[in-house]
Amino acid sequence: GSLLQKQGKSNEAFAEFREAYLLEDSSTPISLDIIGNFLHATGTLHDEIAVYQERLRLHPEDIFTTTHLSKLFRSAGRHEDAIAVYRELIKHNPKQAEFHNGIAEALQSAGRLPEARTEYQLQISLYRESLRLAPKKTVAHTRLTYALFKQGRLAETFAE
């Protein structure tokens, strides 16, 4: 499949990647990653979404797959699907600030601004709690500053 892709034979490459996936033990979805990456490179968003939905069905706890799928949904304008994916992530990981950011962005894209503001505020609260527990956590400082900036809270941004 990779060789055919390098030769510019996209349709044949995809068929080979798909065949590799079908022959593979479904508990090791490496071929799904290859197919997903191939589809991403060729700009076939609808098919890429289908591949990541299949991977998520096989591995529902895989955070990478879940977050990637939600981003694909947003790219396709399927904001409600992205919101549903993030809601599921948050149900299992309620203190993960990045997931609240993701759902806030999806809600904002869907025009659901009051809900988006609530999620952004929750994200900021989670970063602040993280910094209270570990004040020198550089990543949390950076993400909090960016979250405040996105909310237009410039005075607080400079204070961080």
Side-chain angles (χ1 to χ4, degrees):
S2 296
L3 180 61
L4 290 167
Q5 185 179 1
K6 287 178 184 174
Q7 293 174 347
K9 298 178 180 176
S10 298
N11 291 337
E12 294 93 335
F14 179 73
E16 289 298 321
F17 286 135
R18 191 61 153 160
E19 184 66 23
Y21 165 68
L22 293 174
L23 293 174
E24 181 183 340
D25 175 7
S26 65
S27 65
T28 58
I30 187 93
S31 292
L32 280 175
D33 287 337
I34 293 170
I35 293 169
N37 291 336
F38 170 77
L39 292 170
H40 183 76
T42 59
T44 316
L45 187 60
H46 175 74
D47 292 334
E48 186 180 1
I49 287 171
V51 166
Y52 279 93
Q53 284 176 311
E54 174 66 10
R55 180 178 168 126
L56 188 60
R57 186 186 67 73
L58 295 171
H59 298 275
E61 299 300 318
D62 184 342
I63 291 174
F64 167 78
T65 299
T66 309
T67 55
H68 188 69
L69 180 59
S70 63
K71 289 175 185 175
L72 292 172
F73 280 142
R74 287 185 54 224
S75 294
R78 294 172 57 181
H79 304 297
E80 295 303 322
D81 290 327
I83 292 166
V85 169
Y86 274 115
R87 288 217 192 281
E88 192 64 25
L89 272 173
I90 291 168
K91 184 167 72 173
H92 297 290
N93 305 282
K95 296 197 181 254
Q96 189 75 5
E98 293 82 9
F99 299 160
H100 290 281
N101 179 65
I103 196 170
E105 289 176 352
L107 287 162
Q108 187 173 349
S109 297
R112 295 164 58 179
L113 301 182
E115 291 172 87
R117 277 189 213 97
T118 299
E119 291 295 335
Y120 280 128
Q121 185 55 49
L122 187 50
Q123 173 199 21
I124 289 167
S125 297
L126 289 168
Y127 283 136
R128 285 196 166 130
E129 177 63 13
S130 177
L131 287 169
R132 186 185 68 75
L133 298 172
K136 297 192 186 287
K137 199 171 185 181
T138 311
V139 172
H141 273 290
T142 304
R143 290 182 177 168
L144 173 58
T145 301
Y146 183 66
L148 290 166
F149 176 76
K150 284 190 345 186
Q151 286 291 290
R153 295 162 65 173
L154 298 181
E156 290 174 82
T157 300
F158 293 119
E160 291 300 324

